[in-house]
């Protein structure tokens, strides 16, 4: 019997074929850099990201449950997920996966492994959602974000999330809260959430943000997260 060489049946990635392994830094993803299109290509391009991501049971379960929820199904799923792993355990990788799915919607069905997520979620296509990302290591509470680039100045997590979800119109609901550093209450948070549209809010490295900005920041962030959790559950 004649058989083909294994490397003709299943061709290794280019970096392996050429003996040029990836830089170690490329194995650590920064979700904030994905948002600003500064991440390496393997994380920035969803096709590459999914081709190099092995969908473990836990990762598939998470992606399927989030997809199920974004599709409007509220049974056997949660509106809030708290990811806890050891350092390097894959939290940011999981958030990046969810980001690409929700950002691209049904286009994602072309990527490797996504059919597995759809099957488990029991939905026909990936819902496209409004997405907001807050990464605590990237956001400076003193200088804020925007102001000098033609966009509104945002100095709090709620200001930044509102702006990402609905631009200037949504930000105006929390403009005074952002200016004074006070977390908005539920009636205000409702106004910044998109109306009749799926919404995904991804939060990463919150402890870094809190530890850099003191007890006042912790109190207000805690209040905001509690109110936000209650509103999205509704």
């Amino acid at each position: 019997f004649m058989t083909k060489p294994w490397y003709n049946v299943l061709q290794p990635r280019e970096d392996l074929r050429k003996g040029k392994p990836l830089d170690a830094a490329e194995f650590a993803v920064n979700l904030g850099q994905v948002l600003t299109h500064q991440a390496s290509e393997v994380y920035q391009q969803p096709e590459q990201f999914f081709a190099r991501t092995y969908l473990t049971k836990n990762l598939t379960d998470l992606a399927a449950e989030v997809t199920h929820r974004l599709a409007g199904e509220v049974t056997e799923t949660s509106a809030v997920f708290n990811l806890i792993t050891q350092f390097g355990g894959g939290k940011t990788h999981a958030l990046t996966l969810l980001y690409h799915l929700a950002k691209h919607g049904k286009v994602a069905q072309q990527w490797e492994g996504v059919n597995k997520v759809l099957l488990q979620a029991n939905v026909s296509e990936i819902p496209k959602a409004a997405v907001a990302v807050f990464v605590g290591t990237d956001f400076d509470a003193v200088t804020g974000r925007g102001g000098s680039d033609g966009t509104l100045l945002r100095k709090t997590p709620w200001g930044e999330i509102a702006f990402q979800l609905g631009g200037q119109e949504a930000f105006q609901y929390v403009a005074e809260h952002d200016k004074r550093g006070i977390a908005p209450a539920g009636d205000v948070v409702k106004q910044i959430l998109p109306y009749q549209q799926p919404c995904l809010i991804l939060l990463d490295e919150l402890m870094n943000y809190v530890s850099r900005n003191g007890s006042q920041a912790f109190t207000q962030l805690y209040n905001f997260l509690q109110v936000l959790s209650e509103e999205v559950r509704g």
Side-chain angles (χ1 to χ4, degrees):
F1 294 96
M2 298 293 292
T3 59
K4 294 181 180 179
W6 69 268
Y7 45 80
N8 287 342
V9 178
L10 182 64
Q11 191 177 51
R13 300 194 311 260
E14 182 181 4
D15 57 304
L16 298 177
R17 295 198 308 270
K18 295 183 177 180
K20 297 179 179 179
L22 294 175
D23 189 287
E26 293 190 38
F27 288 97
V29 58
N30 182 309
L31 185 57
Q33 291 178 357
V34 174
L35 179 68
T36 57
H37 306 288
Q38 296 174 316
S40 63
E41 189 173 322
V42 67
Y43 293 113
Q44 201 67 57
Q45 300 298 325
E47 298 88 347
Q48 292 191 37
F49 177 83
F50 276 82
R52 297 192 182 192
T53 296
Y54 176 72
L55 288 173
T56 63
K57 181 182 184 305
N58 286 341
L59 197 53
T60 303
D61 289 347
L62 174 65
E65 193 168 347
V66 170
T67 297
H68 191 75
R69 179 79 186 194
L70 291 177
E73 303 294 337
V74 297
T75 58
E76 297 183 349
T77 186
S78 175
V80 180
F81 295 86
N82 186 16
L83 306 185
I84 301 175
T85 71
Q86 62 184 4
F87 181 77
K91 294 186 298 296
T92 304
H93 197 100
L95 295 180
T96 303
L97 183 142
L98 298 177
Y99 172 85
H100 284 310
L101 287 177
K103 196 74 175 177
H104 293 85
K106 63 182 180 180
V107 174
Q109 290 162 226
Q110 306 169 16
W111 307 334
E112 189 171 330
V114 175
N115 282 337
K116 181 180 177 183
V117 174
L118 285 172
L119 183 64
Q120 185 163 327
N122 194 29
V123 297
S124 60
E125 64 181 38
I126 301 291
K128 188 172 184 179
V131 182
V133 172
F134 181 84
V135 180
T137 51
D138 294 349
F139 195 89
D140 190 274
V142 175
T143 60
R145 184 166 292 164
S148 60
D149 59 357
T151 64
L152 294 167
L153 175 64
R154 294 92 67 193
K155 303 195 72 172
T156 63
W158 40 95
E160 177 65 5
I161 289 170
F163 183 78
Q164 288 188 38
L165 290 178
Q168 182 172 342
E169 182 179 350
F171 178 81
Q172 293 306 321
Y173 289 108
V174 295
E176 188 64 22
H177 299 83
D178 187 81
K179 179 180 178 181
R180 298 170 59 185
I182 298 175
D187 286 347
V188 177
V189 171
K190 285 178 184 177
Q191 303 300 315
I192 71 174
L193 299 177
Y195 180 66
Q196 292 187 337
Q197 179 187 6
C199 171
L200 180 66
I201 300 172
L202 303 172
L203 308 172
D204 201 12
E205 305 292 357
L206 293 181
M207 289 308 298
N208 181 279
Y209 174 81
V210 168
S211 64
R212 285 186 290 106
N213 295 291
S215 59
Q216 178 69 8
F218 171 79
T219 300
Q220 295 304 320
L221 181 62
Y222 177 86
N223 291 339
F224 173 65
L225 294 178
Q226 184 178 15
V227 169
L228 179 63
S229 297
E230 290 297 324
E231 291 306 320
V232 298
R233 285 197 327 190

